[in-house]
Amino acid sequence: MKISAIVTLKKDVLDPQGKVVHQALNGMGFSSVKEVRQGKYFEIEIDENDKKKAEEKAEDMCKKLLANLVIEDYKIIGSQ
Amino acid sequence: MKISAIVTLKKDVLDPQGKVVHQALNGMGFSSVKEVRQGKYFEIEIDENDKKKAEEKAEDMCKKLLANLVIEDYKIIGSQ
């Protein structure tokens, strides 16, 4: 089972990387862009056929390794 | 309108970053993990109320800046 997860900076944490992308987009003529925030995306292939169990495992991984919960949030966005 | 997009390495491109995460997870006892691939996630706030137009703009941004189409794929995964 393949689980997709995203890890993003919490709302109040500054995101300099996103800001640079924002400025670059504005410079390229995309003037309607108001904000860009960047995060990480993980595709985790787990040897587990039960969707719920696989998602629980992925959540555990996010908590223990993939996300720094002090400044980041994680979200399981899909499984297939 | 907020558009979410992910940029991932194409299937046949090596992903050393994902490999390191995979090894770390295995080392932590998550032995059921078979593969990890890492990508980038973007949340783009666009001043545009039409969903289709906003998604088209985001796609344009992916093509022109966010993704390197030689080795990466992009996907618009949501809008709100």
Side-chain angles (χ1 to χ4, degrees):
Chain A
M1 184 144 244
K2 196 189 272 176
I3 305 287
S4 305
I6 51 172
V7 174
T8 49
L9 285 167
K10 282 182 198 280
K11 247 191 178 177
D12 298 329
V13 179
L14 285 178
D15 178 11
Q17 208 176 0
K19 207 170 176 189
V20 169
V21 174
H22 180 188
Q23 286 166 351
L25 286 170
N26 280 162
M28 289 167 76
F30 292 105
S31 52
S32 57
V33 174
K34 292 304 165 215
E35 201 193 0
V36 178
R37 287 186 76 81
Q38 193 172 341
K40 286 173 278 183
Y41 170 75
F42 296 95
E43 248 174 36
I44 308 164
E45 179 79 43
I46 303 180
D47 192 11
E48 169 68 66
N49 291 319
D50 185 82
K51 188 182 157 176
K52 215 180 148 212
K53 274 191 199 163
E55 288 190 355
E56 271 169 16
K57 271 189 196 171
E59 217 175 302
D60 208 21
M61 291 172 207
C62 286
K63 276 185 206 157
K64 288 187 181 154
L65 180 73
L66 306 180
N68 173 358
L69 296 180
V70 179
I71 53 165
E72 292 173 325
D73 288 321
Y74 65 87
K75 202 169 162 188
I76 308 296
I77 56 168
S79 50
Q80 62 187 36
Chain B
M1 184 142 244
K2 196 189 271 175
I3 305 286
S4 305
I6 51 173
V7 174
T8 49
L9 286 167
K10 282 182 197 279
K11 247 191 178 177
D12 297 330
V13 179
L14 285 179
D15 177 10
Q17 207 176 0
K19 207 171 176 187
V20 170
V21 174
H22 180 188
Q23 286 166 349
L25 286 169
N26 280 162
M28 289 168 73
F30 292 105
S31 52
S32 57
V33 175
K34 291 304 164 218
E35 200 192 2
V36 177
R37 286 185 77 82
Q38 192 171 342
K40 284 173 280 184
Y41 170 75
F42 295 95
E43 247 174 38
I44 308 163
E45 179 78 43
I46 303 179
D47 192 10
E48 170 67 67
N49 290 319
D50 185 83
K51 187 181 157 175
K52 214 181 149 211
K53 274 190 198 162
E55 288 190 356
E56 270 170 16
K57 271 190 195 168
E59 215 174 304
D60 209 20
M61 292 173 207
C62 286
K63 275 185 207 156
K64 288 185 181 156
L65 180 72
L66 306 180
N68 173 358
L69 296 179
V70 179
I71 54 165
E72 292 172 326
D73 287 322
Y74 66 87
K75 200 171 167 188
I76 309 295
I77 57 168
S79 49
Q80 63 189 36

